[in-house]
Amino acid sequence: MKLEIGYNFPFEIRKESYPNYCQDSFSVLFLSDLHLNRFTMPKITQIINSVEELDPTIILMGGDYIDSKQGLIQLKLLLSSLSVRKNIFAIAGNHDYFFGIDAIKECMQANNIIWLEKKTHEILVKNTSIRIVGNLLKCEKKESDFSILAVHNPKTIDSLEDRHDTIFAGHLHGGQIVFWKNKNGLYPGKYFYKWNILKTTRDSCQLFISKGLGDTLPIRFNCKRDMIFLKVNTT
């Protein structure tokens, strides 16, 4: 167990796999809850290095990017570095609406990031069609080989009307204070938030909940910050 007080402790890369009947293998990197501010510049370097090392097919950004104007400057530096890549998608979190959603959206679009808030997007990876959905609980049904939903708050999953192969969410930060954990969740946060878990399966859909890459109040106990790297493998 470890107490972390501060913004720039190393994060972990949670590596997951998903055997699937797609024609082609691909990978997804989920980054959520950066909460950038004047103290978090070292985190930007860590994220950029991790992206270069993992080289994901798809990057999903799960919201809550900044907590201050200085954080917006850092976000622009991060996105500028990522802008040479393809297949990067971003949704909004509650903090982004508080800060100013137009500024966040403009920053994303200026750096070749597809703004996916309340939208869907289709991509083709070799011969595999992938539908990516952002913060949208019901959308027009289209045939695809694989469907991904990114939501900020996992609570919304309870109202989900569509079926997906995998879902990514953040928002809860793992509760930040973890005294114990088991297959059912991270405690004591699980007593207050149903979705304070790492992953689960529901109706053949895999759900992954990130503990986030940052916090507004930077205090954690036994709850390491993370990004999720999922490999979807052909069977």
Side-chain angles (χ1 to χ4, degrees):
M1 294 186 179
K2 184 177 180 181
L3 176 66
E4 297 180 349
I5 301 177
Y7 294 100
N8 297 306
F9 285 87
F11 52 78
E12 64 178 338
I13 300 172
R14 286 169 48 195
K15 294 185 177 181
E16 305 282 354
S17 62
Y18 188 157
N20 193 270
Y21 291 99
C22 295
Q23 295 185 58
D24 308 281
S25 298
F26 59 92
S27 58
V28 183
L29 183 64
F30 183 65
L31 316 173
S32 189
D33 298 274
L34 278 68
H35 291 278
L36 300 173
N37 60 48
R38 61 183 297 185
F39 304 107
T40 54
M41 189 60 201
K43 185 189 303 182
I44 299 299
T45 302
Q46 295 176 45
I47 294 172
I48 291 172
N49 290 341
S50 295
V51 170
E52 291 179 352
E53 176 185 350
L54 296 168
D55 191 25
T57 312
I58 299 166
I59 297 178
L60 298 180
M61 304 186 70
D64 279 7
Y65 305 105
I66 61 176
D67 281 353
S68 70
K69 291 182 178 180
Q70 292 87 349
L72 182 60
I73 294 172
Q74 292 181 32
L75 179 63
K76 290 178 179 179
L77 290 173
L78 171 61
L79 299 182
S80 177
S81 174
L82 298 180
S83 64
V84 296
R85 305 184 63 90
K86 296 181 180 179
N87 301 328
I88 306 180
F89 303 87
I91 61 173
N94 53 298
H95 277 247
D96 304 317
Y97 282 99
F98 176 79
F99 180 85
I101 195 66
D102 290 338
I104 299 294
K105 179 180 178 180
E106 180 181 344
C107 183
M108 294 293 178
Q109 293 178 330
N111 287 282
N112 199 35
I113 313 299
I114 297 172
W115 185 245
L116 201 65
E117 179 70 358
K118 307 295 184 184
K119 296 180 180 179
T120 67
H121 194 90
E122 302 275 344
I123 65 171
L124 191 65
V125 176
K126 296 183 180 178
N127 295 308
T128 299
S129 60
I130 303 171
R131 180 179 70 154
I132 305 172
V133 182
N135 271 335
L136 194 59
L137 303 181
K138 182 176 178 59
C139 55
E140 181 182 352
K141 291 185 178 180
K142 292 184 178 180
E143 291 297 326
S144 60
D145 298 313
F146 198 88
S147 182
I148 302 170
L149 172 66
V151 297
H152 180 68
N153 189 341
K155 181 180 178 180
T156 60
I157 296 172
D158 291 325
S159 303
L160 184 62
E161 298 185 37
D162 292 341
R163 184 196 172 280
H164 301 277
D165 293 289
T166 191
I167 299 174
F168 294 93
H171 183 61
L172 297 179
H173 300 228
Q176 293 190 215
I177 305 297
V178 177
F179 292 132
W180 76 94
K181 59 184 177 181
N182 56 35
K183 64 180 182 179
N184 297 316
L186 308 174
Y187 294 85
K190 183 65 164 59
Y191 289 132
F192 305 98
Y193 303 104
K194 170 185 175 180
W195 292 105
N196 199 50
I197 59 177
L198 296 178
K199 62 180 179 178
T200 190
T201 302
R202 190 176 78 167
D203 299 330
S204 75
C205 174
Q206 286 197 351
L207 293 85
F208 300 98
I209 314 296
S210 172
K211 300 193 300 292
L213 287 162
D215 313 287
T216 299
L217 181 63
I219 300 175
R220 292 201 178 207
F221 181 73
N222 199 29
C223 187
K224 200 171 187 66
R225 298 174 177 93
D226 69 23
M227 58 174 60
I228 301 173
F229 182 63
L230 173 67
K231 285 188 175 181
V232 180
N233 301 310
T234 58
T235 57

